[in-house]
């Protein structure tokens, strides 16, 4: 089969690799019908994080179950399934606490130094899925072509935006600022609206993303950043800032923007993978009672809640995909995102 | 009148100073009947934070109103009042949001570079209280001598412990660890029990404080610290840590202890004044979804809720005072706390 392998900076290749095999009684083989490129895939692509040796890449995929291990009981051959961006058993203490990203037995796609088994990435034709009963969620029926993009966002970006909003404590009447207008930031707008936010400010400088942000529920757009951006946000909210600020980028600048845009006693919900050397400024947080909550989003725990709304069209996170390419053009998919020609690219094996 | 002035490291003096005068229509003069020394007063006492020039000190006091400005309407001459460790108007956006420590017009006792007016500290015979109607809470009647210590804790430590518990999200059934066995940590145990915690671990090495911790509701004591302390906590809670950890010290070591004792997806509620150079480790927090929330406690917002329970004896935070001295012995009060001969000292002018 064919799968995507990253060899180093800006070196993405589609290669012929061994077809995955069941290696335990609890795994499954999934034929991928749609996958995508994540903003976080751009860190190794850009060389910001090093690639020590070639390895599989991609962690967002949906598809059809082709084989299951003999101890798999919930997932059936022929099911259409959503995989979160990690595997998990959904039975350990952390999974039961709603934090499946900290599953005591799970791991990450493409990380092949676990269980002695080869770990597939999501940007390929097939994937061996460990802990199939925990990891995978079957849809009630096979999605229509129109439903596919939205369903695919439940692998990562929609659940991650939801986690940012939940972590910040967004509830009925909250005032919200979203820092970051990538796919996750845009999904965070959907999540904030869904949770009842009264006002949602999108910080964005791109006309097309601004339009999508408004379509998703943003009530205001702020283009400025840094001190000017903070001043603009404060001016909108009693001079003190917003109740909840969703940090969806992961840089030092974006976190600083988020913390300073939050009113005293408010909360930053952050899901951007921390990038750069800065830690969190405890004195500023202490003096203003601004909390920081969030992390790597346990999207598996959110799929059941969000799926019906995606299938019904009540929320339309699939609109974040503004380019679709065959898997054969995966290198172009990375380039398009790297060069900001696309917000998010859907790949079809 | 006499008031306490800090001149520098381990140089605390009771001096004759001018009697305070009303300087606006909205302030009041309070005759202090009880005051105390705070753990945070030990930072300048020990020279950890520098004292650039002599200034008044002390920020916890209760007493009787002697005079009020002509625009003061709620507080009356003769009222027995509790002052939080700062002044606030309780009408600005931050006060109404429950964060009166960020009052847009308030300030700190002993900080005399505000309004051009001299600012009294709390460890004196009289205090001019700005924003009297916002800052002060009158008790229903004058407290009995037995009620005085408990009422005094509402100036700071009981409300601060409560803030730690609220910030960590303690609720019915929560598992809780309290880092720090000073007056605030001990009050945090009371707060956690009152909010419904199912299990409360006090990290303490002092037999007398352990006994008080158990009296206040601690179900377990852990004496070890660092890696051993973390291992002990994890072993008590499914190998993953507690839901809520209350950081009531403020050192780098105590915050590290708190973060590592929290289960994935749990929350650190912190109220220890940050001391030392360390910032918050964002990657560890991100990877485990441990949130950090809290800060300088808005105790004014909590007085009305906690006062009835203090007056009835339902909670007994006044037990944290293990030494009472006349104001004339204020230097000895500092020394006793510095040398850990006392947990907290009550001063009677």
């Amino acid at each position: 089969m064919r799968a995507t392998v990253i060899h180093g900076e800006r070196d993405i290749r589609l290669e012929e690799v061994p077809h995955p095999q069941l290696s335990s009684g609890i795994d499954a083989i999934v034929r991928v019908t749609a996958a995508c490129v994540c903003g976080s895939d751009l860190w190794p692509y850009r060389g910001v994080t090093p690639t020590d040796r070639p390895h599989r890449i991609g962690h967002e995929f949906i598809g059809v179950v082709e084989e299951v291990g003999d101890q798999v009981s919930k997932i059936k051959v022929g099911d259409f399934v959503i995989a979160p961006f990690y595997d998990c058993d959904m039975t350990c203490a952390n999974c039961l606490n709603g934090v499946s990203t900290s599953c005591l037995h799970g791991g990450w796609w493409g990380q092949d130094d676990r269980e002695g088994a080869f770990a597939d990435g999501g940007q390929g034709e097939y994937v061996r899925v460990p802990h199939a009963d925990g990891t995978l969620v079957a849809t009630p029926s096979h999605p229509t072509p129109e439903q596919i993009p939205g369903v695919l966002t439940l692998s990562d970006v929609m659940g991650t935006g939801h986690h940012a909003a939940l972590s910040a404590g967004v509830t009925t009447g909250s005032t919200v600022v979203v820092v970051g207008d990538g796919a996750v930031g845009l999904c965070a707008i959907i999540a904030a609206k869904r949770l009842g936010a009264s006002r949602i400010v999108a910080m964005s400088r791109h006309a097309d993303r601004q339009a999508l942000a408004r379509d998703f529920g943003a009530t205001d757009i702020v283009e400025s950043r840094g001190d000017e951006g903070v001043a603009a946000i404060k001016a909108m909210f009693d001079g003190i800032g917003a109740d909840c600020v969703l940090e969806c980028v992961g840089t030092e600048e974006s976190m600083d923007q988020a913390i300073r845009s939050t009113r005293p006693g408010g909360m930053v919900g952050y899901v951007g993978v921390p990038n750069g050397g800065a830690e969190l400024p405890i004195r500023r947080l202490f003096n203003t009672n601004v909390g920081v909550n969030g992390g790597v989003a346990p999207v598996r725990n959110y799929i059941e809640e969000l799926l019906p709304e995606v299938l019904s069209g009540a929320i339309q996170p699939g609109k974040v995909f503004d380019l679709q390419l065959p898997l054969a053009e995966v290198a172009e998919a990375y380039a398009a995102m790297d060069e900001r020609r696309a917000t998010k690219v859907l790949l079809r094996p």
Side-chain angles (χ1 to χ4, degrees), chain A:
Chain A
M1 71 140 177
R2 298 173 307 156
T4 305
V5 178
I6 183 166
H7 285 256
E9 188 176 335
R10 289 187 167 73
D11 187 357
I12 291 286
R13 304 180 200 173
L14 190 68
E15 298 184 351
E16 194 64 31
V17 300
H19 196 286
Q21 307 291 323
L22 292 176
S23 72
S24 78
I26 60 170
D27 53 4
I29 306 297
V30 172
R31 176 171 55 81
V32 176
T33 59
C36 48
V37 182
C38 183
S40 68
D41 292 332
L42 296 181
W43 299 127
Y45 181 77
R46 290 170 174 162
V48 177
T49 53
T51 298
D52 299 332
R53 57 190 169 70
H55 62 85
R56 302 283 185 86
I57 191 167
H59 53 254
E60 294 154 280
F61 63 95
I62 54 180
V64 177
V65 177
E66 297 245 322
E67 287 182 79
V68 296
D70 56 12
Q71 293 162 56
V72 174
S73 60
K74 295 197 293 190
I75 297 297
K76 314 288 183 199
V77 170
D79 279 352
F80 192 95
V81 290
I82 304 163
F85 62 83
Y86 53 91
D87 70 82
C88 54
D89 62 18
M90 289 300 276
T91 57
C92 78
N94 287 328
C95 284
L96 295 177
N97 278 331
V99 197
S100 52
T101 37
S102 291
C103 177
L104 298 173
H105 309 107
W108 312 97
W109 308 119
Q111 187 185 68
D112 60 7
D113 47 2
R114 184 166 52 99
E115 296 178 10
F118 190 88
D120 299 305
Q123 294 159 3
E125 291 181 308
Y126 295 87
V127 175
R128 185 182 77 85
V129 176
H131 303 104
D133 275 341
T135 306
L136 299 172
V137 177
T139 57
S141 59
H142 283 223
T144 64
E146 294 71 29
Q147 287 172 324
I148 288 288
V151 171
L152 180 56
T153 66
L154 296 175
S155 275
D156 187 344
V157 291
M158 183 60 224
T160 296
H162 181 63
H163 188 60
L166 281 187
S167 298
V170 175
T171 187
T172 306
S174 299
T175 57
V176 176
V177 170
V178 179
V179 178
D181 62 358
V184 170
L186 292 164
C187 287
I189 294 169
I190 295 175
K193 182 177 180 186
R194 202 182 154 269
L195 291 167
S198 61
R199 199 165 168 189
I200 304 171
V201 183
M203 302 197 80
S204 171
R205 294 179 158 180
H206 305 89
D208 52 341
R209 299 183 185 198
Q210 292 176 2
L212 194 50
R214 287 199 184 273
D215 183 43
F216 283 170
T219 55
D220 303 85
I221 304 287
V222 166
E223 294 200 345
S224 48
R225 295 183 188 175
D227 291 343
E228 268 186 54
V230 170
I233 296 295
K234 291 200 171 183
M236 299 172 90
F237 298 109
D238 298 330
I240 59 176
D243 299 330
C244 306
V245 179
L246 315 187
E247 195 291 308
C248 304
V249 181
T251 62
E252 182 173 348
E253 292 74 20
S254 61
M255 181 57 89
D256 177 70
Q257 180 81 65
I259 290 171
R260 293 199 290 143
S261 299
T262 310
R263 69 160 172 84
M267 185 77 86
V268 173
Y270 75 114
V271 292
V273 182
N275 205 269
E279 301 291 17
L280 292 170
I282 190 169
R283 275 157 211 78
R284 175 185 286 275
L285 296 171
F286 180 86
N287 290 339
T288 56
N289 273 285
V290 168
V292 176
N293 192 29
V296 54
V299 301
R300 171 61 187 85
N301 295 81
Y302 303 141
I303 295 176
E304 285 92 340
E305 179 180 347
L306 298 171
L307 178 60
E309 295 176 45
V310 168
L311 293 175
S312 74
I315 59 174
Q316 304 193 315
K319 289 183 177 177
V320 299
F321 292 105
D322 50 359
L323 179 62
Q324 298 203 13
L325 292 172
L327 180 60
E329 294 179 42
V330 62
E332 163 57 13
Y334 276 77
M337 281 181 61
D338 177 42
E339 296 159 19
R340 290 187 169 271
R341 288 182 279 117
T343 302
K344 195 162 178 76
V345 185
L346 188 149
L347 295 166
R348 295 195 182 267

